[in-house]
Amino acid sequence: MAVMDSPADSRDAASRREAIIAQIRAETGIDEPMIARLVDAFYDKVRADPLLGPVFDARISDWGPHLEQMRLFWSSVALMSGVYHGRPMPKHLPLPVDGEHFDRWLELFEQTAHEVCPPAAADHFIERARRIAESLELGIAGANGVLLGKGERYRMSPPG
């Protein structure tokens, strides 16, 4: 027999989520306008980057919807808002990227976070970005038949 959440349970969960969001906002100053500034500035750098730009250009022709999804994603990651409902791993598995790409992604993200956000917010975003990059790199390596050990990095095989 399935257990159904009661309306009271749903209200309790919503209250807990709101309390968590309020605490993160109070500790970091993160809000949706800051997330939008970070996402927009970061992807401006990504699009101009000689390593990352071509990977994105080959897959994204209309940046508006992608940027909106990334704002929702970072709201869910940074504030635990729950507004993003996508599945990032399957979208990243077929990409021709390896540890070098993730290093550059993190370098640009950290640089942008420090430029756009106050220190507590930048630290909050960067900590999560590092975990995301590590998770995606592990997933992509595994999808390509490579099992990474602790501290190992994924490197694509050279063509040919």
Side-chain angles (χ1 to χ4, degrees):
M1 180 170 169
V3 176
M4 302 298 290
D5 286 340
S6 72
D9 289 340
S10 294
R11 283 190 302 274
D12 289 347
S15 294
R16 284 193 302 276
R17 181 181 301 274
E18 288 304 317
I20 290 168
I21 293 170
Q23 180 181 354
I24 294 169
R25 287 181 196 273
E27 291 173 358
T28 65
I30 295 172
D31 59 13
E32 278 70 18
M34 182 187 299
I35 291 167
R37 287 190 305 273
L38 174 63
V39 166
D40 293 353
F42 170 65
Y43 280 102
D44 283 347
K45 289 180 184 190
V46 164
R47 291 161 74 173
D49 187 76
L51 180 64
L52 298 179
V55 175
F56 283 85
D57 288 342
R59 285 152 188 85
I60 300 172
S61 56
D62 183 358
W63 276 88
H66 181 71
L67 292 173
E68 184 54 36
Q69 284 297 304
M70 293 301 91
R71 291 180 199 114
L72 295 173
F73 174 80
W74 281 103
S75 176
S76 289
V77 168
L79 294 174
M80 298 182 64
S81 66
V83 295
Y84 177 78
H85 301 288
R87 296 176 51 227
M89 188 62 76
K91 292 187 183 288
H92 287 81
L93 291 179
L95 297 179
V97 297
D98 64 10
E100 180 183 8
H101 294 85
F102 285 105
D103 288 346
R104 183 65 180 149
W105 184 89
L106 277 172
E107 180 182 348
L108 292 176
F109 188 88
E110 292 178 13
Q111 180 185 86
T112 308
H114 286 298
E115 291 169 1
V116 171
C117 305
D123 291 347
H124 188 83
F125 281 117
I126 290 166
E127 176 186 338
R128 282 145 186 82
R130 288 176 179 165
R131 281 192 246 141
I132 291 162
E134 180 180 22
S135 175
L136 289 173
E137 185 177 343
L138 285 169
I140 289 170
N144 286 284
V146 177
L147 182 61
L148 296 178
K150 182 110 175 116
E152 291 181 329
R153 302 300 306 278
Y154 174 61
R155 300 290 177 218
M156 288 186 290
S157 301

